[in-house]
Amino acid sequence: MLSGLAGNIVPAAGAIALAAGIPAFLRRDTSAEKSGNAQSLILKQLDAMNKHAGINVVDNNGRLTEVNDHLLELSGYTREEIVGKSVKVLYDPSSVALADMIHTNLERGIPWQGQTQLRRKDGSILVTQATVIPLFDNDGNWTGSISARTDVTETSTVLAERHSAQTLNELRDDIWIIDAETEKFSYMNSTAKKRMLLSHDEYLDETLAEFSRAHEVEGVLQACRALRNDGEMLTQFESSLMGTPMYVSIKFLPDSRGSGRYLIVFNDVSHRLEQEKRKSAFISTVSHELRSPLTSIKGAMGLLLSRSAGELPDKAQALLEIAHRNADRLILIINDILDLDKISNGQMDFDIKEVDLVDLLEEANNANAMLQQRFGVNVTLNGADEPVLFKTDPNRFIQVLTNLMSNAYKFSPPNGRIVLDISDLGEQVRVSVTDEGQGIPLAEQGKIFDRFADMTNSDRATKGGTGLGLSICKAIVENLGGTIGFDTEEGSGTTFYFNLPKAVPNLRAIDEDDVKRIA
C-alpha cells in the first residue's frame, strides 16, 4: 500500500485512467456486447470506477440527470436534492466560470480534464480531479456529458502546505508555527533553526512553554495565550530573541475543529535601531551646535531692541523685531527636538520634590504673561484658594502646563478667556486648561498628540509652535505616572487636562516603545 504524499497523489491519476474507459465503453460494438467475457470485464471496470470515483451525468442543458452514491457521499447531498438541478449547484462560486468553459468545450465535442473546486452541502471545499467526456446520440447530436471525479482535497492541501513551507523556509525572518491546542511546534523555518542552533527537527517534541523557559521567550508564550483567551486574531510587540532585538507578530489561524495554529514571525530590527540611533545622535549634535550661536544672536538682537546701541530707525526696528521673534521660534524648535531626543533615548531626568500645586500654577501663569499681553486674552484661576501639596518634578510640570497654556493663548479669540482649574482628587491632582477657541475638528482629534501634527487651524507661521509640544507633554505626564487628554467641541472651545499622582511615581526611563505609543 502507498502512504504519505505518494498515496495521496496516485488516486488522482487513477481517476483519469478509469475515466478514460468511459468512451471505450460508450463506443463498444455489437460483437463486444455479445461477448460474455468482454461484457464481464467492462462491468467490472465500471464497478471499480463507480466505487473509486464520483460520477455524474449532465444533459445538454447543464442539468444533473444521474449521480452515483460515491459522489453523493463526497458532496453530502441526497440524490433528490441535486438531480434535476444545474450542475453548478456542485461548484464553488469561484469556479462557476470554469463550469461555463467546460460546458462550451463539451458542446464542441472537446473532452476536459483538470481540477475542479466544488462546495459540499456543509459549505466546505471539495477539490476533485475530474475527467469530463461529451455524450452524443446515434445521430451525432450532443446530448450532454459524463464526469468521473476523484477527491484530491487532501492532496491539494498537502501540496499547498509544501509550497508554503518552501516559501517560508526561504524568508529571512524567523518563522514558528505552533498548534494552539497542544502548544507544540509544528514548523520552524531554516532561519529560525539556524538562530536557535537546531540542526534538525528536534524542536517538534517540545512545547512552547518548555522552549520559552530554555530560550527566555516567555513573552511569546504569554502573548499566544492572551491572544486565544481574548478571542483576538493578531498581536504585535517588540522583544528580543537570542540577544537580537525583534519585532514580533503573532497571528492566530483558526481551523474547522475549533482549534488552530499560531503563526509567529520574528523580524530582526537591530539594523533599523542602529540607524535610528545614528540619526538621533546626528540630530542631537546638530541641535546642540545650533543652539549656542542662536542664543548669542538672539541676545545681540535683544540688546539692539533695548536701545543699548542707540536709537534705530523705525524700519530697522520692525525688521529686528521680526528677526528676534524668529530666533525665539528656532530656539523653541531646537529645545523641543532635544527633549524628544532625550525621551527616545531614555535620558530625560526627573527631579522629584514636594511642591504646592497652587505655586506651580501661578509660576506657569506668570511665565506666560507676555503671551497673555500679545494675544489679549484674560486668564482665570480656579481652585487656587488652598495649598495642594504633592510630589512631582516641578520643572517638567511647568513645562507641560506652559505648553498647554501657550496653545490656549494661540487659539483663543481676541479678548477671550482662559480658565486654569486645579482639583484635589484624593490620591491624584488634576489640572485643566480651557479656552474659547474653535475647538478641534473631529477628523483631527485622533492625531492631536502626534509629533508634528499639522492641524487645519494651526497657522504656525503667525501663531508659532513646532507641532512637538503636545507629544512631549504626553511623554512627560505618562512617565510621571499620570494621564493626559482633552474634551472639545467644534466652535465651543477645548479643555486639555492631565492627572498626576500625589505619591512619588515609580519612574522609569522613557524608551523607544513609549515614543511610538505617544507619537
Side-chain angles (χ1 to χ4, degrees), residues 9 70 81 94 101 111 178-179 216 235 249-250 257 281 310 323 357 387 393 411 442 447 457 494 501 516:
I9 294 175
H70 192 64
E81 288 175 322
S94 64
M101 183 272 287
I178 295 169
D179 183 87
E216 298 182 352
T235 185
S249 174
I250 304 177
R257 298 180 290 109
L357 179 58
D393 182 327
F411 296 103
L442 180 63
K447 63 180 181 180
N457 61 349
T494 301
K516 290 174 184 174

Side-chain angles (χ1 to χ4, degrees), residues 293-308:
L294 269 174
T295 303
S296 299
I297 292 169
K298 179 189 171 187
M301 288 189 294
L303 290 172
L304 290 173
L305 288 170
S306 66
R307 311 294 197 283
S308 297

Side-chain angles (χ1 to χ4, degrees), residues 19 78 113 115 161-162 179 196 247 308 360 410 444 453 458 463 465 493 497 506-507:
T78 63
Q113 289 184 349
Q115 277 195 3
E161 290 186 350
R162 171 170 290 187
D179 183 87
M196 308 308 293
Y247 185 77
S308 297
L360 295 180
K410 294 170 187 175
E444 297 182 340
S458 62
K463 297 178 180 178
Y497 58 86
N506 183 19
L507 292 181

